[in-house]
């Protein structure tokens, strides 16, 4: 059977799809890159924004137009199965709670609850390892806890074994990922994230570890000290879902911190890693965001000198408290989004300039013509391959 895979949304979804594709291949399944040539369309869906919903539904319509069998899992499948069946009545819907059983459901294959381990059969230079799933924060704007409400973590011995296998396959960078990574807690030994990565750093070999997104309240001095002691085995790159810099909006979002706390976390990171890349997720046009709130956020983001932003316009999500509020008009949403993207470009340019004259260890990602693209610990680099 030939399967066309499509993944929407977060890094965790992407890891899960890679893991499932490896398991499907054990049943003789072949990965097909063209939807028109496949036997089955396998969709790992997302519902974090209204656009994500529309993208999922558009692909469903395309698969139906080609007359393909469809299997769909992920957050949209868990939250809105009736919407799927209106478009694709014969689709196999697999909720997140059963996603790990997809091989058994679709191919009657053995299905072990192995927390989506990967062996690295995909053609990349970096490997992504999922160690945690679920979020229980219930921020007023976010639908994720409704789709992934159960907090669970991969046992540390399985994590170490999985990473060792990837290192033996030649991978030089491992990205440790989770829906809310800082909530990691080993079900066997009660290790928290800091103990887990300390064990990972003890593994032998020439490799480095990069952490995916970390909540501000889950970054502390002990965690940073462990990363600092790992030296070149740690990528000094931090991705923080800050979301806003106005105390009023943070409170309305039901985020468990204020701006002084964010500022202190960023300063703590830079005390350990002066050249670190520190990036922030930012949401503009939250329903209660005034022009003053937006300007406060802009000024504070610039003063904190983040290395770059991942800006999002607020998207009303079903089930959430913020969906009941009056929404900001689309034209004003667009205006604020444009301003944040301009600020992002400015911050990234400044960060790049700060690296002038520094020697950086770069992991090559891909080659195009005479140039090689790659990643340093904290900055995408462009290196002439003939030098």
């Amino acid at each position: 059977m030939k399967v066309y895979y499509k993944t929407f949304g977060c890094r965790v979804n992407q890891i899960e799809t890679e893991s499932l594709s490896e398991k499907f291949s054990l049943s003789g399944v072949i990965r097909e890159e063209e939807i028109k040539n496949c036997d089955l369309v396998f969709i790992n869906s997302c519902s974090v924004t209204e656009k994500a919903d529309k993208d999922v539904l558009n692909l469903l319509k395309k698969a139906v137009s080609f007359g393909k069998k469809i299997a769909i899992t992920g957050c949209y499948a868990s939250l809105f199965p009736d919407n799927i069946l209106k478009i694709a009545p014969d689709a196999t819907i697999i909720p997140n709670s059963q996603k790990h059983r997809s091989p058994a459901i679709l191919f009657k294959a053995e299905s072990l609850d192995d927390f989506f381990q990967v062996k690295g059969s995909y053609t990349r230079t970096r490997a992504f390892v999922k160690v945690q799933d679920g979020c229980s924060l219930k921020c007023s704007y976010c639908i994720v806890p409704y789709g992934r409400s159960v907090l669970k973590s991969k046992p540390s011995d399985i994590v170490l074994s999985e990473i060792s296998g990837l290192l033996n396959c030649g991978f030089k960078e491992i990205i440790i990922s989770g829906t809310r990574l800082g909530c990691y807690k080993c079900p066997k030994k009660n290790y928290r994230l800091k103990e887990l990565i300390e064990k990972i750093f003890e593994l032998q070999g020439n490799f480095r570890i990069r952490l995916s997104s970390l909540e501000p309240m889950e970054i502390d001095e002990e965690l940073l000290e462990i990363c600092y002691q790992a030296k070149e085995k740690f990528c000094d790159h931090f991705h923080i879902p800050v979301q806003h810099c106005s105390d009023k909006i943070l409170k309305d979002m039901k985020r468990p911190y204020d701006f002084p706390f964010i500022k202190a976390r960023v300063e703590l990171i830079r005390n350990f890693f002066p050249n670190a890349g520190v990036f922030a997720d930012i949401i503009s046009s939250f329903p209660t965001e005034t022009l003053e709130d937006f300007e406060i956020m802009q000024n504070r983001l610039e003063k904190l000198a983040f290395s770059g932003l991942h800006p999002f316009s607020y998207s009303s999500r079903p089930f959430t408290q913020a969906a009941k509020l009056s929404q900001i008009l689309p034209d004003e949403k667009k205006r604020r989004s444009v301003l944040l993207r301009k600020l992002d470009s400015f911050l990234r340019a400044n960060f790049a300039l700060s690296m002038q004259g520094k020697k950086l260890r770069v992991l090559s990602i891909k080659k195009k013509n005479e140039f090689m693209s790659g990643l340093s610990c904290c900055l995408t680099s462009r290196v002439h391959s003939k030098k």
Side-chain angles (χ1 to χ4, degrees):
M1 175 175 279
K2 294 185 288 186
V3 175
Y4 173 83
Y5 298 92
K6 181 62 179 179
T7 306
F8 295 94
C10 65
R11 180 66 66 188
V12 167
N13 260 12
Q14 294 175 43
I15 298 169
E16 290 169 348
T17 300
E18 293 293 351
S19 175
L20 289 172
S21 71
E22 289 181 354
K23 290 169 180 58
F24 290 176
S25 68
L26 299 177
S27 299
V29 170
I30 299 170
R31 182 187 286 263
E32 173 55 56
E33 300 301 328
E34 297 289 338
I35 189 170
K36 63 183 178 181
N37 297 329
C38 75
D39 301 304
L40 171 72
V41 176
F42 184 85
I43 304 169
N44 198 351
S45 65
C46 174
S47 189
V48 73
T49 63
E50 184 179 4
K51 182 181 183 304
D53 289 357
K54 290 179 179 178
D55 289 343
V56 170
L57 294 178
N58 286 338
L59 182 62
L60 276 173
K61 291 173 185 176
K62 184 176 181 180
V64 169
S65 71
F66 278 113
K68 302 300 181 182
K69 293 181 180 179
I70 299 168
I72 179 168
T73 185
C75 288
Y76 191 87
S78 297
L79 294 165
F80 308 110
D82 291 344
N83 293 352
I84 294 169
L85 294 176
K86 288 177 184 177
I87 295 173
D90 297 325
T92 300
I93 299 175
I94 306 171
N96 274 330
S97 61
Q98 297 297 306
K99 186 183 290 187
H100 65 283
R101 295 192 60 248
S102 296
I105 293 169
L106 296 175
F107 306 113
K108 295 183 172 56
E110 183 180 6
S111 219
L112 300 175
D113 189 5
D114 65 355
F115 213 97
F116 301 100
Q117 290 184 64
V118 292
K119 294 183 178 178
S121 60
Y122 45 96
T123 56
R124 293 178 181 163
T125 54
R126 305 190 298 158
F128 297 83
V129 174
K130 176 186 172 183
V131 302
Q132 187 277 337
D133 196 12
C135 181
S136 57
L137 271 180
K138 293 290 179 72
C139 299
S140 66
Y141 57 86
C142 187
I143 200 172
V144 170
Y146 298 93
R148 293 179 181 268
S149 59
V150 179
L151 291 173
K152 53 185 178 179
S153 299
K154 185 182 291 183
S156 58
D157 58 337
I158 294 178
V159 174
L160 295 172
S161 175
E162 183 176 355
I163 292 175
S164 294
L166 291 167
L167 297 178
N168 289 335
C169 287
F171 288 91
K172 296 298 183 184
E173 180 174 306
I174 309 293
I175 299 90
I176 309 299
S177 305
T179 308
R180 190 174 159 199
L181 183 59
C183 279
Y184 177 84
K185 185 177 181 181
C186 175
K188 294 180 180 179
K189 298 184 178 181
N190 286 332
Y191 285 162
R192 305 305 301 226
L193 178 64
K194 58 192 70 173
E195 287 89 7
L196 175 68
I197 63 170
E198 190 170 33
K199 294 294 182 184
I200 294 172
F201 287 139
E202 291 174 359
L203 294 174
Q204 298 300 306
N206 176 24
F207 67 94
R208 66 192 194 191
I209 297 296
R210 190 183 298 264
L211 301 178
S212 68
S213 128
L214 282 172
E215 294 283 351
M217 58 283 191
E218 289 156 6
I219 299 171
D220 60 25
E221 190 165 349
E222 188 177 355
L223 174 67
L224 295 173
E225 178 65 33
I226 290 169
C227 294
Y228 178 78
Q229 293 298 331
K231 299 180 180 177
E232 291 183 342
K233 280 189 174 180
F234 176 67
C235 295
D236 50 346
H237 167 276
F238 296 86
H239 186 115
I240 310 172
V242 170
Q243 311 303 19
H244 215 280
C245 294
S246 159
D247 288 345
K248 178 173 76 71
I249 301 302
L250 288 170
K251 184 177 180 180
D252 291 347
M253 287 179 165
K254 297 196 179 301
R255 298 294 285 170
Y257 50 79
D258 55 16
F259 177 71
F261 184 87
I262 295 168
K263 184 172 181 287
R265 295 298 95 178
V266 173
E267 289 173 350
L268 182 63
I269 289 170
R270 288 183 172 142
N271 284 341
F272 280 90
F273 305 101
N275 297 317
V278 185
F279 297 82
D281 285 342
I282 295 294
I283 298 174
S284 64
S285 299
F286 185 80
T288 60
E289 182 189 75
T290 63
L291 286 175
E292 182 183 6
D293 294 321
F294 181 75
E295 289 169 2
I296 286 172
M297 176 171 66
Q298 282 185 295
N299 291 333
R300 289 177 171 177
L301 288 170
E302 188 171 346
K303 286 179 181 178
L304 275 183
F306 280 106
S307 310
L309 308 176
H310 291 261
F312 302 88
S313 289
Y314 168 78
S315 180
S316 179
R317 298 283 71 210
F319 314 123
T320 64
Q321 293 179 34
K324 302 171 186 176
L325 303 173
S326 297
Q327 306 297 302
I328 291 173
L329 294 175
D331 285 349
E332 179 59 18
K333 272 190 175 184
K334 184 177 180 181
R335 187 188 75 84
R336 297 182 193 184
S337 176
V338 168
L339 289 174
L340 271 190
R341 289 200 297 272
K342 286 182 178 178
L343 178 57
D344 169 49
S345 296
F346 171 77
L347 293 172
R348 288 176 187 268
N350 282 349
F351 181 50
L353 287 171
S354 75
M355 293 294 153
Q356 280 190 329
K358 293 182 172 65
K359 289 185 178 181
L360 304 172
R361 297 182 73 209
V362 175
L363 175 69
S364 61
I365 302 297
K366 61 181 178 180
K367 184 178 180 181
K368 185 176 181 181
N369 300 324
E370 58 182 337
F371 289 98
M372 188 74 74
S373 296
L375 282 174
S376 73
C377 285
C378 56
L379 181 71
T380 301
S381 303
R382 194 168 172 84
V383 183
H384 199 291
S385 62
K386 294 179 181 179
K387 290 186 179 179

